[in-house]
Amino acid sequence: MIERTSENVAEGSNVISVTLDANFFFERAVRSLDRFQYDKALKNFRKAVEYEPENPVNHCNMAGILSEMGDYEASNDILIHVLEKIDPAMTECHFYMANNFANMESFEEAERSLVTYLEEDASGEYLAESEELMELLQYELNRPAPLIRIRSREGVVEHDRARTLLEEGKFPQAVKMLEEITKNTPDFLAAHNNLALAYFYMGRFAKAKECLSEVLEQDPGNLHALCNMAIFMQYAGDKEQLAVLLRMLEATVPFHQEHVFKMATTMGILGRHRTAYGHFRRLLKDEEVGGDAGLYHYCAAAASNSSLYNEALRCWRQAAKLDPESAVPGFFLSQLQGAQAEGRPMPLVSYNYQLPFQEQLKQWQGNTDSFTEEMRNNPLLRASFFWALRYGDANTRLQVTEALRWIEDEEMSEVLNGLLAQEPLQEDKLQEAALLSLQRLIGSSPDANAAPQEELPPLSHKGPPEWKEDWQRVLDHTASMMDRRYDAIQKKDAELLWKQFVSDLYPDVPYFRHTGGWAAALEYLTAKLHDRPITYREVAQHYGVSASMVSRYARRISNECDIPGSLPGQETLPSSTENI
């Protein structure tokens, strides 16, 4: 550092020595900035750079002044010099350049610089400002930014995609993506919440509650998690805990638009329609969303379900004006007006902005092409079909399952697989319809060499009035041993076969003491029905039983259920006597 004085003075004079260094000129530049004297500030920052040319901060200060003066190109030249010649780790230079390019309306260059900043600095100082700038650039460029590789937004892009899949009713794909996100970023609470919803829609209630518990451990006041937990409690029949949680939620007045909507829809699902109506009314006063036809339908549904019929009529009429092409407002207006004319109460109305499920099915009867097109292009409809499969009554589930066989879609195969793989279905017709639909979908796949799957004999409708513990043990053991080695339809076939066997034996069903032997026989027969190569010895070794036991039990099941051609010729086996 060089020390200079203003004049050569005589010894003992009262003149104060002034040190001319980078700090001196920096302080003078700052004072000039405070007075908005940009020319003087620039001159002093340039002097600071002369004294400390390797200090990147001084260069950036000079670039900042030039930007304030509107000389964006000169500012960027300095920033490029810093990155190339002085300190490549000065990542904020990319953010400054992005702002300069945006001011020059060079939006492509601005986007490139901003993405570079976000890619190179995962915890930078300007992340919040970067989000705002990114929104501006997306608006100007009329497209989203390429943010796939940005560490600072790790999981965000994937989460947005997963949310889209969830909204489209593509639950299996959403689950896969959300599981990966939550594994990599365990503190990403929104991803946990959406994963819980995806699990719930697929009927995986235990996993759904586990996800929510993880969220509430990190953030006990998370409104989305609390609302979702309340819904899960209702479906689980947990009335006591639900009552406590509901009292807390009903006393909550959310502020943010997203939270108001979440609370409104949650209250509607939980049957607190008057509370839901109040929240929806609040949203209608918001200019951003108040012109949405769907929101007017939600408010109308809440009003109708609260017996506020005049308000419901007003809202549906407004929805019809905002969305004249939709049949939904007109349908419910007609229903409500008919109910009022006859002096009867209006049935409960779904909050989904679409025609009632049964009404949609009627419209598509005999017109599979229209149905197929609508299912592929209407995310809400797909979601409602999946929901009906899981929570509809027996007749609705049967209709949906039969309808799905005409949608040649990999996702539909996954949904039907999931339906069959979950808890045993109680309705035999629904089991058969699901299997037939799934087999048709599999048969229509591009693999022309795939062997057609053989159908099991239908279950008898007469059967035992209650299911015994030893019968269920065989089923559980079989399912456990077949897991990961057989697909869902094959495991379901094993279950159906066992139920057929027990049903045919009833009322003279013995006590099944050798669980492993019966389970092994069940797997053996299922494998044969699906043309899988297997021997008695192989399956016996897997289950830890004797091959003779497997042979004998398999023949007993086969003979009782009249399964033609399911067993090979007699194998040479060591003799053994086993009791049931």
Side-chain angles (χ1 to χ4, degrees), residues 99-175:
N99 279 279
N100 285 336
F101 281 127
N103 285 319
M104 290 189 286
E105 298 188 1
S106 300
F107 300 117
E108 295 279 357
E109 289 85 350
E111 181 186 67
R112 278 194 288 272
S113 294
L114 186 58
V115 168
T116 302
Y117 170 67
L118 292 170
E119 284 177 340
E120 294 188 2
D121 198 336
S123 56
E125 180 182 354
Y126 300 105
L127 293 185
E129 294 85 349
S130 295
E131 293 287 340
E132 294 178 8
L133 181 55
M134 189 63 72
E135 287 182 14
L136 169 68
L137 296 178
Q138 288 179 1
Y139 174 78
E140 295 291 350
L141 295 170
N142 196 28
R143 60 167 174 74
L147 301 179
I148 302 302
R149 303 180 310 279
I150 295 177
R151 290 184 288 130
S152 63
R153 292 173 57 96
E154 187 174 4
V156 174
V157 176
E158 293 84 352
H159 179 249
D160 289 343
R161 174 61 182 149
R163 279 186 60 192
T164 301
L165 291 170
L166 198 58
E167 290 164 1
E168 291 175 353
K170 297 178 180 178
F171 305 128
Q173 294 97 313
V175 163

Coordinates of all heavy atoms in Angstrom, one line a residue, residues 99-175:
N99 N -29.6 -9.1 -14.4 CA -30.3 -7.8 -14.2 C -30.0 -6.8 -15.3 O -30.9 -6.2 -15.9 CB -30.1 -7.2 -12.9 CG -30.9 -7.9 -11.8 OD1 -32.1 -7.6 -11.6 ND2 -30.3 -8.8 -11.0
N100 N -28.7 -6.7 -15.7 CA -28.4 -5.8 -16.7 C -29.0 -6.2 -18.1 O -29.6 -5.4 -18.8 CB -26.8 -5.7 -16.9 CG -26.2 -4.9 -15.8 OD1 -26.8 -4.1 -15.2 ND2 -24.9 -5.2 -15.5
F101 N -28.9 -7.5 -18.4 CA -29.5 -7.9 -19.6 C -31.0 -7.7 -19.7 O -31.6 -7.4 -20.7 CB -29.2 -9.4 -19.8 CG -27.8 -9.7 -20.4 CD1 -27.0 -10.6 -19.7 CD2 -27.4 -9.1 -21.5 CE1 -25.7 -10.8 -20.2 CE2 -26.1 -9.3 -22.0 CZ -25.2 -10.2 -21.3
A102 N -31.7 -8.0 -18.5 CA -33.1 -7.8 -18.4 C -33.5 -6.3 -18.7 O -34.4 -6.0 -19.4 CB -33.6 -8.2 -17.1
N103 N -32.7 -5.4 -18.1 CA -32.9 -3.9 -18.3 C -32.7 -3.6 -19.8 O -33.3 -2.6 -20.3 CB -32.0 -3.1 -17.4 CG -32.4 -3.1 -16.0 OD1 -33.6 -3.0 -15.7 ND2 -31.5 -3.2 -15.0
M104 N -31.8 -4.3 -20.5 CA -31.6 -4.1 -21.9 C -32.6 -4.8 -22.8 O -32.6 -4.7 -24.0 CB -30.2 -4.5 -22.3 CG -29.1 -3.6 -21.8 SD -27.4 -4.0 -22.5 CE -27.1 -5.6 -21.6
E105 N -33.6 -5.5 -22.1 CA -34.6 -6.3 -22.8 C -34.0 -7.5 -23.6 O -34.5 -8.0 -24.6 CB -35.5 -5.5 -23.6 CG -36.3 -4.5 -22.8 CD -37.3 -3.7 -23.6 OE1 -37.5 -4.0 -24.8 OE2 -38.0 -2.8 -23.0
S106 N -32.8 -7.9 -23.2 CA -32.1 -9.1 -23.8 C -32.5 -10.3 -22.9 O -31.7 -10.7 -22.1 CB -30.6 -8.9 -23.9 OG -30.3 -7.8 -24.7
F107 N -33.7 -10.7 -23.0 CA -34.3 -11.7 -22.0 C -33.6 -13.1 -22.1 O -33.5 -13.7 -21.1 CB -35.8 -11.8 -22.2 CG -36.5 -10.4 -21.9 CD1 -37.2 -9.8 -22.9 CD2 -36.3 -9.8 -20.7 CE1 -37.8 -8.6 -22.7 CE2 -37.0 -8.6 -20.5 CZ -37.7 -8.0 -21.5
E108 N -33.3 -13.5 -23.3 CA -32.6 -14.8 -23.5 C -31.3 -14.8 -22.7 O -30.9 -15.7 -22.0 CB -32.4 -15.1 -24.9 CG -33.6 -15.3 -25.8 CD -34.2 -16.7 -25.6 OE1 -33.6 -17.5 -24.9 OE2 -35.3 -17.0 -26.2
E109 N -30.5 -13.7 -22.9 CA -29.2 -13.6 -22.2 C -29.4 -13.5 -20.7 O -28.6 -14.0 -19.9 CB -28.4 -12.4 -22.7 CG -27.8 -12.5 -24.2 CD -28.9 -12.1 -25.2 OE1 -30.1 -11.9 -24.8 OE2 -28.5 -12.0 -26.4
A110 N -30.4 -12.7 -20.3 CA -30.7 -12.6 -18.9 C -31.0 -14.0 -18.3 O -30.5 -14.3 -17.2 CB -31.9 -11.6 -18.7
E111 N -31.8 -14.7 -19.0 CA -32.1 -16.1 -18.5 C -30.9 -16.9 -18.4 O -30.7 -17.7 -17.4 CB -33.1 -16.7 -19.4 CG -33.6 -18.1 -19.0 CD -34.4 -18.8 -20.0 OE1 -33.9 -19.1 -21.1 OE2 -35.6 -19.0 -19.8
R112 N -30.0 -16.9 -19.4 CA -28.8 -17.7 -19.3 C -27.9 -17.3 -18.1 O -27.4 -18.2 -17.4 CB -28.0 -17.6 -20.6 CG -28.5 -18.4 -21.7 CD -27.5 -18.5 -22.9 NE -27.4 -17.3 -23.6 CZ -28.2 -17.0 -24.7 NH1 -29.1 -17.9 -25.1 NH2 -28.1 -15.9 -25.3
S113 N -27.8 -16.0 -17.9 CA -27.0 -15.6 -16.7 C -27.6 -16.0 -15.4 O -26.9 -16.4 -14.5 CB -26.8 -14.0 -16.8 OG -26.0 -13.7 -17.9
L114 N -28.9 -15.8 -15.3 CA -29.6 -16.2 -14.1 C -29.5 -17.7 -13.8 O -29.3 -18.1 -12.6 CB -31.1 -15.7 -14.2 CG -31.9 -15.9 -12.9 CD1 -31.2 -15.1 -11.7 CD2 -33.3 -15.4 -13.1
V115 N -29.7 -18.5 -14.8 CA -29.6 -19.9 -14.6 C -28.2 -20.3 -14.2 O -28.0 -21.2 -13.3 CB -30.0 -20.7 -15.9 CG1 -29.6 -22.1 -15.8 CG2 -31.5 -20.5 -16.2
T116 N -27.2 -19.7 -14.8 CA -25.8 -19.9 -14.4 C -25.6 -19.6 -12.9 O -25.0 -20.4 -12.2 CB -24.8 -19.1 -15.3 OG1 -25.0 -19.5 -16.6 CG2 -23.4 -19.4 -14.9
Y117 N -26.2 -18.5 -12.5 CA -26.0 -18.1 -11.1 C -26.7 -19.1 -10.2 O -26.1 -19.6 -9.2 CB -26.7 -16.7 -10.9 CG -26.8 -16.4 -9.4 CD1 -25.7 -16.1 -8.6 CD2 -28.1 -16.3 -8.8 CE1 -25.8 -15.8 -7.3 CE2 -28.2 -16.0 -7.4 CZ -27.1 -15.7 -6.7 OH -27.2 -15.4 -5.4
L118 N -27.9 -19.6 -10.5 CA -28.6 -20.5 -9.7 C -27.9 -21.9 -9.7 O -27.9 -22.6 -8.7 CB -30.0 -20.6 -10.1 CG -30.9 -19.4 -9.9 CD1 -32.2 -19.5 -10.6 CD2 -31.1 -19.2 -8.4
E119 N -27.3 -22.2 -10.8 CA -26.6 -23.5 -10.9 C -25.4 -23.5 -10.1 O -25.0 -24.5 -9.5 CB -26.3 -23.8 -12.4 CG -27.4 -24.3 -13.3 CD -27.0 -24.5 -14.7 OE1 -26.0 -23.9 -15.1 OE2 -27.8 -25.2 -15.4
E120 N -24.7 -22.4 -10.1 CA -23.4 -22.4 -9.4 C -23.4 -22.0 -7.9 O -22.4 -22.2 -7.2 CB -22.4 -21.4 -10.2 CG -22.1 -21.9 -11.6 CD -21.0 -21.0 -12.2 OE1 -20.5 -20.1 -11.6 OE2 -20.7 -21.3 -13.4
D121 N -24.5 -21.4 -7.5 CA -24.6 -21.0 -6.1 C -25.9 -21.5 -5.5 O -27.0 -20.9 -5.6 CB -24.6 -19.4 -6.1 CG -24.2 -18.9 -4.7 OD1 -24.5 -19.7 -3.7 OD2 -23.7 -17.8 -4.6
A122 N -25.8 -22.6 -4.8 CA -27.0 -23.3 -4.2 C -27.6 -22.5 -3.0 O -28.7 -22.7 -2.7 CB -26.7 -24.7 -3.8
S123 N -26.8 -21.7 -2.4 CA -27.3 -21.0 -1.2 C -26.9 -19.5 -1.3 O -26.4 -18.9 -0.3 CB -26.8 -21.6 0.1 OG -25.3 -21.7 0.1
G124 N -27.0 -18.9 -2.4 CA -26.5 -17.6 -2.7 C -27.4 -16.5 -2.0 O -28.5 -16.8 -1.5
E125 N -26.9 -15.3 -2.0 CA -27.5 -14.2 -1.3 C -28.7 -13.7 -2.0 O -29.6 -13.1 -1.4 CB -26.4 -13.1 -1.2 CG -26.9 -11.8 -0.5 CD -25.9 -10.7 -0.6 OE1 -24.7 -11.0 -1.0 OE2 -26.2 -9.6 -0.1
Y126 N -28.8 -14.0 -3.3 CA -29.9 -13.4 -4.1 C -30.9 -14.4 -4.6 O -31.5 -14.2 -5.7 CB -29.3 -12.6 -5.3 CG -28.3 -11.5 -4.9 CD1 -27.0 -11.7 -5.1 CD2 -28.8 -10.4 -4.4 CE1 -26.1 -10.7 -4.7 CE2 -28.0 -9.3 -4.0 CZ -26.6 -9.5 -4.2 OH -25.7 -8.5 -3.8
L127 N -31.2 -15.5 -3.8 CA -32.1 -16.5 -4.3 C -33.5 -16.0 -4.4 O -34.3 -16.3 -5.3 CB -32.0 -17.7 -3.4 CG -30.7 -18.5 -3.4 CD1 -30.8 -19.8 -2.5 CD2 -30.4 -18.9 -4.8
A128 N -33.9 -15.2 -3.4 CA -35.3 -14.7 -3.4 C -35.5 -13.7 -4.6 O -36.5 -13.8 -5.3 CB -35.6 -13.9 -2.1
E129 N -34.5 -12.8 -4.8 CA -34.6 -11.9 -5.9 C -34.5 -12.6 -7.2 O -35.2 -12.2 -8.2 CB -33.4 -10.9 -5.8 CG -33.4 -9.9 -4.7 CD -32.8 -10.5 -3.4 OE1 -32.6 -11.8 -3.4 OE2 -32.6 -9.8 -2.4
S130 N -33.8 -13.8 -7.2 CA -33.7 -14.6 -8.5 C -35.1 -15.2 -8.8 O -35.5 -15.3 -10.0 CB -32.7 -15.7 -8.3 OG -31.4 -15.2 -8.1
E131 N -35.9 -15.6 -7.8 CA -37.2 -16.1 -8.1 C -38.1 -15.0 -8.7 O -38.8 -15.3 -9.7 CB -37.9 -16.5 -6.7 CG -37.2 -17.7 -6.1 CD -37.5 -19.0 -6.8 OE1 -38.5 -19.1 -7.6 OE2 -36.7 -20.0 -6.6
E132 N -38.0 -13.8 -8.2 CA -38.8 -12.7 -8.8 C -38.4 -12.4 -10.3 O -39.2 -12.2 -11.2 CB -38.6 -11.4 -8.0 CG -39.2 -11.6 -6.6 CD -39.0 -10.3 -5.8 OE1 -38.5 -9.3 -6.4 OE2 -39.3 -10.3 -4.6
L133 N -37.0 -12.4 -10.5 CA -36.5 -12.2 -11.8 C -36.9 -13.3 -12.8 O -37.3 -13.1 -13.9 CB -35.0 -12.0 -11.8 CG -34.3 -11.7 -13.2 CD1 -34.9 -10.5 -13.9 CD2 -32.8 -11.5 -13.0
M134 N -36.9 -14.5 -12.3 CA -37.3 -15.7 -13.1 C -38.7 -15.6 -13.5 O -39.1 -15.9 -14.7 CB -37.0 -17.0 -12.3 CG -37.2 -18.2 -13.2 SD -36.0 -18.3 -14.5 CE -34.5 -18.7 -13.6
E135 N -39.6 -15.1 -12.6 CA -41.0 -15.0 -13.0 C -41.2 -13.9 -14.1 O -42.0 -14.1 -15.0 CB -41.8 -14.5 -11.8 CG -42.0 -15.6 -10.7 CD -42.9 -15.2 -9.6 OE1 -43.5 -14.1 -9.7 OE2 -42.9 -15.9 -8.5
L136 N -40.4 -12.8 -14.0 CA -40.4 -11.8 -15.0 C -40.0 -12.4 -16.4 O -40.6 -12.2 -17.4 CB -39.6 -10.6 -14.6 CG -39.3 -9.6 -15.8 CD1 -40.6 -8.9 -16.1 CD2 -38.2 -8.6 -15.3
L137 N -38.9 -13.1 -16.4 CA -38.4 -13.7 -17.6 C -39.3 -14.7 -18.2 O -39.5 -14.8 -19.4 CB -37.0 -14.3 -17.4 CG -35.9 -13.4 -16.9 CD1 -34.6 -14.1 -16.6 CD2 -35.7 -12.3 -18.0
Q138 N -40.0 -15.5 -17.4 CA -41.0 -16.5 -17.9 C -42.1 -15.8 -18.5 O -42.6 -16.2 -19.6 CB -41.5 -17.4 -16.7 CG -40.4 -18.4 -16.2 CD -41.0 -19.2 -15.1 OE1 -42.1 -19.1 -14.6 NE2 -40.2 -20.1 -14.6
Y139 N -42.5 -14.6 -18.0 CA -43.6 -13.8 -18.6 C -43.2 -13.3 -19.9 O -43.9 -13.3 -20.9 CB -44.0 -12.7 -17.6 CG -45.0 -11.8 -18.2 CD1 -46.4 -12.1 -18.3 CD2 -44.6 -10.5 -18.7 CE1 -47.3 -11.2 -18.9 CE2 -45.5 -9.6 -19.2 CZ -46.8 -10.0 -19.3 OH -47.7 -9.1 -19.9
E140 N -42.0 -12.7 -19.9 CA -41.5 -12.1 -21.2 C -41.2 -13.1 -22.3 O -41.5 -12.8 -23.5 CB -40.2 -11.2 -20.9 CG -40.4 -10.1 -19.9 CD -41.2 -8.9 -20.6 OE1 -41.5 -9.0 -21.8 OE2 -41.6 -8.0 -19.9
L141 N -40.7 -14.2 -21.9 CA -40.3 -15.3 -22.9 C -41.5 -16.2 -23.2 O -41.4 -17.0 -24.1 CB -39.1 -16.1 -22.4 CG -37.8 -15.3 -22.3 CD1 -36.8 -16.1 -21.5 CD2 -37.3 -14.9 -23.6
N142 N -42.5 -16.1 -22.4 CA -43.7 -16.9 -22.6 C -43.4 -18.4 -22.5 O -43.9 -19.2 -23.3 CB -44.4 -16.6 -23.9 CG -45.8 -17.1 -23.9 OD1 -46.5 -17.3 -22.9 ND2 -46.3 -17.4 -25.1
R143 N -42.5 -18.8 -21.6 CA -42.2 -20.2 -21.4 C -41.4 -20.3 -20.1 O -40.9 -19.4 -19.6 CB -41.3 -20.7 -22.5 CG -40.0 -20.0 -22.7 CD -39.0 -20.7 -23.6 NE -37.8 -20.0 -23.9 CZ -36.9 -19.8 -23.0 NH1 -37.0 -20.3 -21.8 NH2 -35.8 -19.1 -23.3
P144 N -41.5 -21.5 -19.5 CA -40.7 -21.7 -18.3 C -39.2 -21.8 -18.6 O -38.8 -22.1 -19.7 CB -41.2 -23.1 -17.8 CG -41.7 -23.8 -19.0 CD -42.2 -22.7 -19.9
A145 N -38.4 -21.5 -17.5 CA -37.0 -21.5 -17.7 C -36.5 -23.0 -17.5 O -37.1 -23.8 -16.9 CB -36.3 -20.6 -16.6
P146 N -35.3 -23.2 -18.1 CA -34.7 -24.6 -18.0 C -34.0 -24.8 -16.7 O -32.8 -24.5 -16.6 CB -33.7 -24.6 -19.2 CG -33.3 -23.2 -19.4 CD -34.5 -22.4 -19.0
L147 N -34.8 -25.2 -15.7 CA -34.2 -25.2 -14.3 C -33.9 -26.6 -13.8 O -33.8 -26.8 -12.6 CB -35.3 -24.6 -13.4 CG -35.7 -23.2 -13.7 CD1 -36.7 -22.7 -12.7 CD2 -34.5 -22.3 -13.7
I148 N -33.8 -27.6 -14.7 CA -33.6 -29.0 -14.3 C -32.4 -29.2 -13.4 O -32.4 -29.9 -12.5 CB -33.6 -29.9 -15.5 CG1 -34.8 -29.7 -16.4 CG2 -33.4 -31.4 -15.1 CD1 -36.1 -30.0 -15.6
R149 N -31.3 -28.5 -13.8 CA -30.0 -28.8 -13.1 C -29.7 -27.8 -12.0 O -28.6 -27.9 -11.5 CB -28.9 -28.7 -14.2 CG -29.0 -29.7 -15.3 CD -27.9 -29.5 -16.3 NE -27.5 -28.2 -16.6 CZ -28.2 -27.5 -17.6 NH1 -29.2 -28.0 -18.2 NH2 -27.8 -26.2 -17.8
I150 N -30.6 -27.0 -11.6 CA -30.3 -26.0 -10.6 C -30.3 -26.5 -9.2 O -31.3 -27.0 -8.7 CB -31.3 -24.8 -10.8 CG1 -31.1 -24.1 -12.1 CG2 -31.1 -23.8 -9.6 CD1 -32.1 -23.0 -12.4
R151 N -29.1 -26.5 -8.6 CA -29.0 -27.1 -7.2 C -29.8 -26.3 -6.2 O -30.4 -26.8 -5.3 CB -27.5 -27.1 -6.8 CG -26.7 -28.1 -7.6 CD -25.3 -28.2 -7.0 NE -24.5 -27.0 -7.4 CZ -23.8 -26.3 -6.5 NH1 -23.8 -26.6 -5.2 NH2 -23.2 -25.2 -6.9
S152 N -29.9 -25.0 -6.4 CA -30.6 -24.2 -5.4 C -32.1 -24.4 -5.5 O -32.9 -24.1 -4.6 CB -30.4 -22.7 -5.7 OG -30.9 -22.3 -7.0
R153 N -32.6 -25.0 -6.6 CA -34.0 -25.4 -6.7 C -34.2 -26.9 -6.8 O -35.1 -27.4 -7.4 CB -34.6 -24.7 -8.0 CG -34.7 -23.2 -7.9 CD -35.1 -22.6 -9.2 NE -36.4 -23.2 -9.7 CZ -37.6 -22.6 -9.5 NH1 -37.6 -21.5 -8.8 NH2 -38.7 -23.2 -10.0
E154 N -33.3 -27.6 -6.1 CA -33.3 -29.0 -6.2 C -34.6 -29.6 -5.7 O -35.1 -29.3 -4.6 CB -32.2 -29.6 -5.3 CG -32.0 -31.1 -5.4 CD -30.8 -31.6 -4.7 OE1 -30.2 -30.8 -3.9 OE2 -30.5 -32.8 -4.7
G155 N -35.3 -30.4 -6.6 CA -36.5 -31.0 -6.3 C -37.7 -30.1 -6.7 O -38.8 -30.6 -6.8
V156 N -37.5 -28.8 -6.9 CA -38.7 -27.9 -7.1 C -39.3 -28.2 -8.5 O -40.5 -28.3 -8.6 CB -38.2 -26.4 -7.0 CG1 -39.4 -25.5 -7.5 CG2 -37.8 -26.1 -5.6
V157 N -38.5 -28.3 -9.5 CA -39.0 -28.6 -10.8 C -39.7 -30.0 -10.9 O -40.8 -30.1 -11.4 CB -37.9 -28.6 -11.9 CG1 -38.4 -28.9 -13.3 CG2 -37.2 -27.2 -11.9
E158 N -39.0 -31.0 -10.3 CA -39.6 -32.3 -10.2 C -40.9 -32.3 -9.4 O -41.9 -33.0 -9.8 CB -38.6 -33.3 -9.6 CG -37.4 -33.5 -10.4 CD -36.3 -32.5 -10.2 OE1 -36.6 -31.5 -9.5 OE2 -35.2 -32.7 -10.7
H159 N -40.9 -31.5 -8.4 CA -42.2 -31.4 -7.6 C -43.3 -30.8 -8.4 O -44.5 -31.2 -8.3 CB -41.9 -30.6 -6.3 CG -43.1 -30.4 -5.4 ND1 -43.7 -29.2 -5.3 CD2 -43.8 -31.3 -4.7 CE1 -44.8 -29.4 -4.5 NE2 -44.8 -30.6 -4.1
D160 N -43.0 -29.8 -9.2 CA -44.0 -29.2 -10.0 C -44.6 -30.2 -11.0 O -45.8 -30.3 -11.2 CB -43.5 -28.0 -10.8 CG -43.2 -26.8 -9.9 OD1 -43.8 -26.8 -8.7 OD2 -42.5 -25.9 -10.3
R161 N -43.7 -31.0 -11.5 CA -44.1 -32.1 -12.5 C -45.0 -33.1 -11.7 O -46.0 -33.6 -12.2 CB -42.9 -32.7 -13.1 CG -43.2 -33.9 -14.0 CD -44.1 -33.6 -15.1 NE -44.4 -34.7 -15.9 CZ -45.6 -34.9 -16.6 NH1 -46.5 -33.9 -16.6 NH2 -45.8 -35.9 -17.3
A162 N -44.6 -33.5 -10.5 CA -45.3 -34.4 -9.7 C -46.7 -33.9 -9.4 O -47.7 -34.7 -9.4 CB -44.5 -34.8 -8.5
R163 N -46.8 -32.6 -9.1 CA -48.1 -32.0 -8.8 C -49.0 -32.1 -10.0 O -50.2 -32.4 -9.9 CB -47.9 -30.6 -8.4 CG -47.5 -30.4 -6.9 CD -47.5 -28.9 -6.6 NE -48.8 -28.3 -6.7 CZ -49.0 -27.0 -6.7 NH1 -48.0 -26.1 -6.6 NH2 -50.2 -26.5 -6.9
T164 N -48.4 -31.9 -11.2 CA -49.2 -32.0 -12.4 C -49.7 -33.4 -12.6 O -50.9 -33.6 -12.9 CB -48.4 -31.5 -13.6 OG1 -47.9 -30.2 -13.4 CG2 -49.2 -31.6 -14.9
L165 N -48.9 -34.3 -12.3 CA -49.3 -35.7 -12.4 C -50.4 -36.1 -11.4 O -51.4 -36.8 -11.8 CB -48.1 -36.7 -12.2 CG -47.0 -36.7 -13.3 CD1 -45.8 -37.5 -12.8 CD2 -47.5 -37.3 -14.6
L166 N -50.3 -35.5 -10.2 CA -51.3 -35.7 -9.2 C -52.6 -35.1 -9.6 O -53.7 -35.8 -9.5 CB -50.8 -35.1 -7.9 CG -51.4 -35.5 -6.6 CD1 -51.3 -37.0 -6.4 CD2 -50.8 -34.8 -5.4
E167 N -52.6 -33.9 -10.1 CA -53.8 -33.2 -10.6 C -54.4 -34.0 -11.8 O -55.6 -33.9 -12.0 CB -53.5 -31.8 -10.9 CG -53.2 -30.9 -9.7 CD -52.5 -29.6 -10.0 OE1 -52.3 -29.4 -11.2 OE2 -52.2 -28.9 -9.1
E168 N -53.6 -34.6 -12.6 CA -54.1 -35.4 -13.7 C -54.6 -36.8 -13.3 O -55.1 -37.5 -14.2 CB -53.0 -35.5 -14.8 CG -52.7 -34.2 -15.5 CD -51.5 -34.3 -16.4 OE1 -50.9 -35.4 -16.4 OE2 -51.2 -33.4 -17.1
G169 N -54.5 -37.1 -12.1 CA -54.9 -38.4 -11.6 C -53.9 -39.5 -11.9 O -54.3 -40.7 -11.8
K170 N -52.7 -39.2 -12.3 CA -51.7 -40.2 -12.6 C -50.9 -40.5 -11.3 O -49.8 -40.1 -11.2 CB -50.8 -39.7 -13.7 CG -51.5 -39.4 -15.0 CD -50.6 -38.8 -16.1 CE -51.4 -38.6 -17.4 NZ -50.6 -38.0 -18.5
F171 N -51.6 -41.2 -10.4 CA -51.1 -41.3 -9.1 C -49.8 -42.2 -9.0 O -48.9 -41.9 -8.3 CB -52.2 -41.9 -8.2 CG -53.4 -41.1 -8.2 CD1 -54.7 -41.6 -8.4 CD2 -53.3 -39.7 -7.9 CE1 -55.8 -40.8 -8.4 CE2 -54.5 -38.9 -7.9 CZ -55.7 -39.5 -8.2
P172 N -49.8 -43.3 -9.7 CA -48.5 -44.2 -9.6 C -47.3 -43.4 -10.1 O -46.3 -43.5 -9.4 CB -48.8 -45.3 -10.6 CG -50.3 -45.4 -10.6 CD -50.8 -44.0 -10.6
Q173 N -47.4 -42.6 -11.2 CA -46.2 -41.9 -11.6 C -45.9 -40.8 -10.6 O -44.7 -40.5 -10.4 CB -46.5 -41.2 -13.0 CG -46.7 -42.3 -14.1 CD -48.1 -42.6 -14.4 OE1 -48.9 -42.8 -13.4 NE2 -48.5 -42.6 -15.6
A174 N -46.9 -40.1 -10.1 CA -46.6 -39.1 -9.1 C -45.9 -39.6 -7.9 O -45.0 -39.0 -7.3 CB -48.0 -38.4 -8.7
V175 N -46.4 -40.8 -7.4 CA -45.8 -41.4 -6.2 C -44.3 -41.7 -6.5 O -43.4 -41.4 -5.6 CB -46.5 -42.7 -5.9 CG1 -45.6 -43.6 -4.9 CG2 -47.8 -42.4 -5.2

